[in-house]
Amino acid sequence: MNRLREHIEEITPITDEEFDYIQTFFTLKKVRKNQFLIHEGDEVKHEFLALDGIFKVFYIDEDGKEHILQFAKKNWWMTDYVGFFKQKNSKMFVECLKDGEVVSLTLQGREKLASEFHKMDHFFRIKLTNGYIALQQRIILLLSSTPQQRYEEFSRLYPDLISQIPKKYVAEYLGVSRETLSRLYSNNNK
Amino acid sequence: MNRLREHIEEITPITDEEFDYIQTFFTLKKVRKNQFLIHEGDEVKHEFLALDGIFKVFYIDEDGKEHILQFAKKNWWMTDYVGFFKQKNSKMFVECLKDGEVVSLTLQGREKLASEFHKMDHFFRIKLTNGYIALQQRIILLLSSTPQQRYEEFSRLYPDLISQIPKKYVAEYLGVSRETLSRLYSNNNK
């Protein structure tokens, strides 16, 4: 749980006593590659903070096509947030791509922590701000015209992810073919 | 400023005294159609809450093509949030599509209010949560395969916007041609 404390303290200092209480809201869980944290149709009971590992959040459209909403790595939060905040069933899958650990938190837990501690309200606000920025950048990437621009933007934003995620998922995330992506990878490494 | 108070009190009650102080951080501004609140390249000094009117937030890519990130109407917040939170110059334009009024707030003002009042931290967190949900829905709309699905999703989410925004902007937002959009409109009204 030390990693959770470090993560919170990147935003706001907390005392030992406070952390002893705060951590009771979180549950630690090991996750293996290919394991799912959430399936489509599940009640979205938790959000997850990745302490380690790589994850992808995706959905499958009416035609059976998979679309990746986001990846997540250490210190990123993830779930189907529409389902989580609106207490609806999930439209998303959350799958582990590389062994790791997460802590989970319920919406009731989040709201209780935020109402009892001004600093936790602040913490969640700052985390949401970062999430908001990441989603805006995701939209700009999707709107960008060329595969080249999308690839460059993704590499610029997440240089560490590029090397750890199978190419087929990067291609899917960027909405480009695997052949195009391979060309971009090799051009980039010249 | 009553509308600002009503907007805040949808999330959290505040006293007359508190509101007297809180409102000093906001500046009221009338905006006419075609007027810009932000130009690309501007320092992003403010975020804006629309009290009335319709707005669009968009950017122009390297090839000179316009892309609409979002629309905004009464009680929606808008700015180039990446620029605002990171204190960088704007990549976005914010333009008024229909006469209205906004209140503006600086980042310093937002942070001061949030640190002085737990309830304002809470207010901004809840607003960000809603914004986060809207962006996730925007992404799903962009990833959706067919113009028909995109149009239906947009109509479902924002039935009031469909009737107030010029068709050319709706087409641009959805990434479909105007001809396709006209067909969808007329099918929908049969």
Side-chain angles (χ1 to χ4, degrees):
Chain A
M1 286 290 185
N2 266 344
R3 284 169 295 172
L4 172 62
R5 180 163 183 175
E6 281 165 20
H7 177 66
I8 296 171
E9 294 210 305
E10 279 175 20
I11 308 290
T12 178
I14 42 176
T15 66
D16 291 349
E17 266 190 343
E18 283 167 345
F19 185 68
D20 282 347
Y21 176 70
I22 288 167
Q23 69 170 326
T24 64
F25 289 80
F26 291 86
T27 307
L28 185 69
K29 181 173 178 161
K30 278 186 191 295
V31 200
R32 314 280 310 201
K33 186 176 169 182
N34 298 328
Q35 195 181 334
F36 286 80
L37 290 169
I38 297 180
H39 281 94
E40 185 192 353
D42 286 353
E43 221 182 307
V44 187
K45 291 186 186 156
H46 301 97
E47 60 181 332
F48 303 93
L49 167 67
L51 299 176
D52 200 7
I54 306 270
F55 302 84
K56 71 169 171 160
V57 182
F58 67 100
Y59 73 98
I60 294 177
D61 71 16
E62 291 171 9
D63 305 323
K65 197 173 169 228
E66 180 178 314
H67 301 278
I68 297 174
L69 181 73
Q70 63 160 109
F71 296 110
K73 54 174 182 155
K74 188 183 173 185
N75 285 344
W76 286 23
W77 291 79
M78 62 194 156
T79 191
D80 174 347
Y81 272 109
V82 175
F84 182 70
F85 287 128
K86 298 193 166 184
Q87 296 279 279
K88 288 184 177 174
N89 290 350
S90 184
K91 289 188 175 175
M92 302 281 163
F93 297 84
V94 179
E95 183 182 2
C96 178
L97 298 183
K98 191 183 157 194
D99 291 3
E101 278 186 299
V102 299
V103 285
S104 63
L105 178 64
T106 64
L107 184 63
Q108 292 79 351
R110 163 187 267 254
E111 293 305 317
K112 192 155 190 284
L113 283 174
S115 80
E116 290 183 10
F117 297 96
H118 186 171
K119 60 175 77 172
M120 289 305 289
D121 223 333
H122 177 72
F123 169 77
F124 288 120
R125 181 168 69 81
I126 298 304
K127 284 289 131 188
L128 265 172
T129 303
N130 297 343
Y132 188 95
I133 288 172
L135 287 192
Q136 179 166 326
Q137 284 167 330
R138 173 80 176 116
I139 292 172
I140 290 171
L141 191 137
L142 281 170
L143 290 169
S144 297
S145 320
T146 70
Q148 171 89 25
Q149 285 165 359
R150 293 182 189 189
Y151 176 77
E152 284 173 3
E153 185 68 4
F154 185 67
S155 308
R156 192 181 66 75
L157 289 171
Y158 312 113
D160 49 338
L161 280 181
I162 277 274
S163 59
Q164 295 191 72
I165 292 173
K167 279 200 187 71
K168 66 175 174 178
Y169 295 135
V170 175
E172 191 187 316
Y173 180 86
L174 298 177
V176 305
S177 71
R178 290 184 64 180
E179 294 70 30
T180 303
L181 189 75
S182 293
R183 211 180 53 241
L184 291 168
Y185 265 89
S186 61
N187 284 348
N188 205 46
N189 292 327
K190 267 176 193 165
Chain B
M1 286 289 186
N2 266 344
R3 285 169 295 174
L4 171 63
R5 180 163 183 175
E6 282 165 20
H7 177 66
I8 296 171
E9 294 210 306
E10 280 175 19
I11 309 289
T12 178
I14 43 176
T15 66
D16 291 350
E17 265 189 344
E18 283 167 346
F19 185 68
D20 281 348
Y21 176 69
I22 289 166
Q23 70 170 325
T24 62
F25 288 81
F26 290 86
T27 308
L28 185 69
K29 182 172 176 161
K30 279 185 190 296
V31 200
R32 313 281 309 201
K33 186 177 169 181
N34 299 328
Q35 195 181 333
F36 286 80
L37 290 170
I38 297 180
H39 281 93
E40 185 192 353
D42 286 353
E43 220 182 307
V44 188
K45 290 185 187 156
H46 300 96
E47 60 180 331
F48 302 93
L49 167 67
L51 299 175
D52 200 7
I54 306 268
F55 301 84
K56 70 168 173 160
V57 181
F58 67 100
Y59 73 98
I60 294 177
D61 71 16
E62 290 172 10
D63 304 323
K65 197 174 168 225
E66 180 178 313
H67 300 278
I68 298 175
L69 181 72
Q70 63 160 109
F71 296 110
K73 53 174 181 155
K74 187 183 172 186
N75 284 346
W76 287 23
W77 291 79
M78 62 196 156
T79 191
D80 175 348
Y81 272 109
V82 174
F84 181 70
F85 287 127
K86 297 193 166 185
Q87 296 280 281
K88 287 184 178 175
N89 289 351
S90 185
K91 289 188 174 176
M92 302 282 163
F93 297 85
V94 180
E95 183 182 1
C96 178
L97 298 183
K98 191 183 157 193
D99 290 3
E101 278 186 299
V102 299
V103 285
S104 63
L105 178 65
T106 64
L107 184 62
Q108 292 79 351
R110 163 186 265 255
E111 294 304 318
K112 192 156 192 282
L113 284 175
S115 82
E116 290 183 10
F117 298 96
H118 185 172
K119 59 176 79 172
M120 289 305 289
D121 223 331
H122 177 72
F123 169 78
F124 287 120
R125 181 168 68 82
I126 298 302
K127 284 288 131 190
L128 265 173
T129 303
N130 297 342
Y132 188 94
I133 288 173
L135 287 192
Q136 178 166 326
Q137 285 167 331
R138 173 80 176 116
I139 291 172
I140 290 172
L141 192 137
L142 281 170
L143 290 170
S144 297
S145 319
T146 71
Q148 171 89 23
Q149 285 166 358
R150 293 182 189 189
Y151 176 77
E152 284 172 3
E153 184 68 4
F154 184 67
S155 308
R156 192 181 66 75
L157 290 171
Y158 312 113
D160 50 337
L161 279 181
I162 277 274
S163 59
Q164 294 191 71
I165 293 173
K167 280 201 187 70
K168 65 175 175 181
Y169 295 135
V170 175
E172 190 186 318
Y173 180 86
L174 298 177
V176 305
S177 72
R178 291 185 64 180
E179 294 70 29
T180 303
L181 188 76
S182 293
R183 209 180 54 239
L184 292 168
Y185 264 89
S186 61
N187 284 346
N188 204 45
N189 293 326
K190 267 176 193 163

